Amino acid sequence: VIAVVIGFNCFYTQDVGEAVVVRNLGGSVAGHTTEAGFHFKAPWQTAITWDIRNRQINFYRDSTYAYSGGSYQGSEVSINDSSGTKANIDVQVIYSLDADDVEDLYAEYGTQEAFVSNYVSNDLRATAREVAGGYDTITLLTDRAKLTNAIEKALTDQWKGNGVIVERVQVQDIRYADSITDAYADAQSAEVARQKALNAQETAKVEAETKKIEAQGEADANAVLTQSLTPEVLQQRYIDALT
């Protein structure tokens, strides 16, 4: 029985999308594996599994903070733009872990949950605030893609070499106070009305120019006709009419 128990403790299985850290009895790290299948270890060693599949961090409205299998969710991120105006944003990042860095991550954080909760999620929240502070209110209201790309680039640069790979970032919503959005809507309506008036003026100007050209052409034609009506021409037309 002892031999069977020891035998079962001398190997472990690893699934696709996992990296395993092998820990010695005293707490030191003996190495890690990244390939799926059966792997051997000493009976006194422990295999600690880290999920390296794509996972998401999602901050959305008043969501409850929760961790599940590498994914994490929490409440909306409050930001101040470059104008000092406050807003709340919903942001999501799809990420994965670099299998070759799991030893360092285990040594520093112990568990994947601690790493995601204490580093990845907090870093996303802090980076979103910092990046959003570089844009004014109008830009954030009208060009959400610019903020999304900026956050993705900042996270990619910041997490490079730290075991985290950014797959995709999405700013899903930006919410300002009603007074801000109403003022922006009024400004947009005024701009539409102004542009409509300018277009009407331009149309009237073109129509007036067209009428002027037509009138000038008619006047020129009448002048030519008048000059051509000599006594001889009139006499011939009179004869033709009689005929």
Side-chain angles (χ1 to χ4, degrees), residues 81 83 135-143 176 184 187-188:
D81 59 31
S83 307
Y135 295 95
D136 58 28
T137 306
I138 297 300
T139 301
L140 294 183
L141 283 171
T142 59
D143 196 350
Y176 279 91
Y184 174 72
Q188 286 294 96

Side-chain angles (χ1 to χ4, degrees), residues 8-176:
F8 273 109
N9 282 302
C10 285
F11 70 89
Y12 60 91
T13 59
Q14 181 176 335
D15 198 1
V16 175
E18 294 178 343
V20 173
V21 176
V22 180
R23 184 186 66 187
N24 291 318
L25 184 62
S28 61
V29 177
H32 72 281
T33 55
T34 59
E35 298 294 330
F38 287 94
H39 299 276
F40 291 93
K41 65 179 182 62
W44 57 85
Q45 292 177 326
T46 304
I48 302 171
T49 301
W50 284 62
D51 193 330
I52 59 174
R53 300 176 180 89
N54 285 356
R55 294 298 183 218
Q56 69 176 16
I57 307 295
N58 191 22
F59 292 125
Y60 177 77
R61 291 189 178 268
D62 56 352
S63 298
T64 303
Y65 289 95
Y67 172 86
S68 177
S71 294
Y72 187 87
Q73 72 175 23
S75 63
E76 60 194 7
V77 180
S78 297
I79 60 101
N80 287 304
D81 59 31
S82 62
S83 307
T85 307
K86 183 179 178 180
N88 295 314
I89 66 174
D90 297 332
V91 59
Q92 178 189 78
V93 60
I94 306 297
Y95 78 98
S96 60
L97 299 182
D98 190 333
D100 293 328
D101 290 329
V102 293
E103 278 190 48
D104 295 333
L105 298 181
Y106 170 76
E108 187 169 355
Y109 293 94
T111 64
Q112 185 168 357
E113 181 177 357
F115 173 63
V116 173
S117 301
N118 298 332
Y119 176 72
V120 179
S121 61
N122 287 339
D123 229 26
L124 171 58
R125 186 178 289 275
T127 300
R129 285 178 177 145
E130 182 179 353
V131 172
Y135 295 95
D136 58 28
T137 306
I138 297 300
T139 301
L140 294 183
L141 283 171
T142 59
D143 196 350
R144 190 188 310 168
K146 183 175 290 187
L147 176 62
T148 298
N149 294 334
I151 293 176
E152 182 169 334
K153 182 180 185 306
L155 287 176
T156 300
D157 294 341
Q158 188 161 329
W159 288 347
K160 186 177 182 180
N162 292 330
V164 186
I165 302 169
V166 178
E167 305 294 342
R168 181 171 61 87
V169 172
Q170 181 63 48
V171 176
Q172 299 170 327
D173 194 14
I174 302 175
R175 293 181 297 279
Y176 279 91

Side-chain angles (χ1 to χ4, degrees), residues 192-206:
V192 170
R194 187 184 73 87
Q195 191 61 49
K196 185 177 179 180
L198 289 176
N199 291 340
Q201 292 176 9
E202 189 64 27
T203 300
K205 186 185 296 184
V206 171

